[in-house]
Amino acid sequence: MKFPVPHDVKAATIPGTEGWERMYPYQYQFVTDDPERNKYEKETFWFYDGLHYPEPLYPFDTIWDEAWFLALSQFNNRIFQVPPVRGVDHRMINGYVYISPVPVKDGAEIGSRVPNFMERAGYYYKNWDALEAKWKVKMEATIKELEDLKISPLPDLEDISVVNDAIGESKGYHLIKNYDDLINLGIKCWQYHFEFLNLGYAAYVFFMDFTQKLFPSIPLQRITQMISGIDVIMYKPDDELKELAKKAVALGVDAAVVGNRDWVAVKLAVEKLPKGAEWLAAFEKARYPWFNISTGTGWFHTDRSWNDTLDIPLSGIQTYIGKIKAGVSIDRPVEAVRAERDRITAEYRALITNEADLKQFDELLGCAKTVFPYVENHLFYVEHWFHSVFWNKMREVAAIMKDHGMINDIEDIWYMRRDEIKQALWDVVTAWATGVKPRGTFTWPTEIEWRKGVMEKFRQWSAPPAIGIAPEVIQEPFTIVLWGVTNKSLADWASVQDAGDPDSITELKGFAGSPGIVEGRARVCRSAQDIRDLLEGEILVAPTTSPSWAPAFAKIKACVTDVGGVMSHAAIVCREYGMPAVVGTGHSTKVIKTGMMLRVDGSSGAITITR
């Protein structure tokens, strides 16, 4: 398998984007002037992190990539000391993030790390429920601190209380301080994000590895089915929509709720009904905290929350009302999934004749089931609730910068790095204090217009799924179960890449995420807005999926994604709904067009385009 040389890809600069590197942290660049680093980069395999970034990153949005660059790697390498892997290295080309797990290559060193891991990780596994309860308290306190953070405009004259109470501090100082606090809360939140996450995935990997050694021919999908049917918080926002749909029908306001796609119009219509106030009160109660869920993954500032865009949850409620009126159950088939889980588990368990193996199988499966809720639940607290509040706090910062002429529009702030914003705020507060015009009013609007053009060119560029030298065998567990990168998937990606014209491709291959075979018409969706156009019985094709897309799974026959492994969101949710999924195809959204007829085999990972 041959993939492009990283430095050759970077060197082929898109015309009009020369100098784009200044938009991102300097350590993210593939380099030619540092021989040692250049050699390391050329000999390393890098894959595009489309799981988290299906679009090029805005300069400010890089904050979350930097946050997990630190957090994942520190917990792997410096806190728990996972034996076979250190951390994950990051680079960027044209706004797209490429990552590479850093393995521990020396067998003796792997062995020396085992005792530390057993002691440290063992403490967490033994006390998981109690420690997770503490984690929830920490996260909710961090979110509360974020919600209470004041981003105040700069006054023409400070309030007299600054004098009478001898405060000795100005609003200018507090703007700088509170911006720092805002950024630091974001980084702190991601420290908590990875406190348990690596261990959660490790528990899956231990169980998968042990089970595959006992049963070499067992499909990975079968193993994941043994950990299905467990309720998690991430289903709660969708459950709230289902309850609101049921309540709308029960109160007789359903006709008004489905009467318009615009929330404001629907609210006005419902208010006029006898029991409209009761339904609207239930709607408002559901919003906090459950509508603090992003319309996307939460990683981008463009991923507004349901609370910011109430038309999106309204669309979900309307979908469920339609199902109820048609006499179709809107509940997930939890009991059926659990019955199948228990059947598969019992089937394989009965084949284990060695008592020691049976004991270890039960212990590892029990541990995997224990950690499962956190692996999904952390998404609500971090990527959704915290991020949704964070993005809007940054918009308050942007409003002040706009008022002082530093940017032309509030949404322009995302084209600046976070350290550039800090310096620009110093420009603002010193000019405000002194009574002069900020220097940035001349420099930043022009630079941002240039960056807008660069970002548009980045979006038109097709990021290769992998670059560098592929290893003979990919063994790093997180790469396999989360991103879906294996030697087989690399070969499948390379074959599509070699095929050239996407219109000539009739078959794609990916991970068998959830079993079953269906045929249907494709609907390519890249956002929550696109999801609203899904028709009953279509096959969802997306770069990746988000928990906020849950109502879509009540309509679709199957799901196909560009990225993701057997423990990605799309694979997990499809298993819970009992529908086929093929994930980690690498190219599905580039090859498949809305309206194409597909045959999706979630048991083998094959997709046939019948046009």
Side-chain angles (χ1 to χ4, degrees), residues 514-520 522 539-541 557-560 579-583 592 597-609:
S514 181
I517 300 173
V518 299
E519 294 185 0
I539 293 171
L540 172 62
V541 180
K557 278 186 175 180
C559 180
V560 176
M579 68 176 63
V582 177
V583 297
I592 298 170
M597 291 301 295
L598 307 179
R599 182 179 187 273
V600 176
D601 186 342
S603 301
S604 69
I607 302 158
T608 305
I609 303 170

Side-chain angles (χ1 to χ4, degrees), residues 412-608:
D412 286 351
I413 198 168
W414 315 117
Y415 294 92
M416 301 172 69
R417 301 194 314 265
R418 71 174 191 275
D419 58 306
E420 292 174 331
I421 294 170
K422 172 71 175 292
Q423 194 57 51
L425 288 174
W426 269 103
D427 185 8
V428 167
V429 300
T430 52
W432 162 81
T434 312
V436 297
K437 190 175 184 179
R439 162 71 173 154
T441 58
F442 176 79
T443 59
W444 275 115
T446 303
E447 174 68 12
I448 286 170
E449 284 307 306
W450 177 79
R451 293 185 182 189
K452 287 181 180 179
V454 170
M455 288 295 295
E456 188 55 42
K457 290 181 171 65
F458 283 173
R459 291 186 194 96
Q460 296 166 10
W461 185 68
S462 182
I467 52 179
I469 301 173
E472 290 185 15
V473 180
I474 293 177
Q475 295 178 318
E476 201 285 310
F478 302 117
T479 306
I480 296 169
V481 301
L482 187 57
W483 280 279
V485 178
T486 65
N487 290 86
K488 182 182 181 301
S489 67
L490 291 180
D492 292 339
W493 294 351
S495 66
V496 172
Q497 191 169 275
D498 293 342
D501 182 13
D503 292 336
S504 68
I505 297 168
T506 59
E507 185 171 292
L508 290 170
K509 295 178 182 177
F511 262 92
S514 181
I517 300 173
V518 299
E519 294 185 0
R521 197 171 299 279
R523 173 72 61 174
V524 179
C525 296
R526 291 182 170 83
S527 70
Q529 293 292 342
D530 294 342
I531 287 295
R532 301 177 74 187
D533 297 326
L534 263 172
L535 300 179
E536 192 75 30
E538 290 186 319
I539 293 171
L540 172 62
V541 180
T544 185
T545 62
S546 161
S548 66
W549 293 17
F553 288 86
K555 284 185 175 182
I556 63 177
K557 278 186 175 180
C559 180
V560 176
T561 67
D562 290 343
V563 293
V566 292
M567 296 311 298
S568 63
H569 175 264
I572 291 172
V573 173
C574 282
R575 288 195 293 271
E576 295 297 321
Y577 275 90
M579 68 176 63
V582 177
V583 297
T585 62
H587 301 272
S588 62
T589 58
K590 297 174 186 175
V591 173
I592 298 170
K593 305 291 188 298
T594 293
M596 285 183 172
M597 291 301 295
L598 307 179
R599 182 179 187 273
V600 176
D601 186 342
S603 301
S604 69
I607 302 158
T608 305

Side-chain angles (χ1 to χ4, degrees), residues 11-12 66 128 156 165 179 199-200 215 232 254 291 306 322 363 435-436 445 447 450 469 503 533 577 599:
E66 290 183 87
W128 190 276
D156 289 336
D165 297 340
Y179 175 74
L199 298 182
F215 309 105
V232 295
D254 51 291
F291 283 20
W306 282 1
E363 287 176 352
V436 297
E447 174 68 12
W450 177 79
I469 301 173
D503 292 336
D533 297 326
Y577 275 90
R599 182 179 187 273

Side-chain angles (χ1 to χ4, degrees), residues 314-333:
L314 171 64
S315 176
I317 295 168
Q318 291 171 338
T319 294
Y320 291 135
I321 288 174
K323 292 279 186 182
I324 293 169
K325 301 290 280 187
V328 178
S329 172
I330 61 174
D331 297 320
R332 285 181 292 117

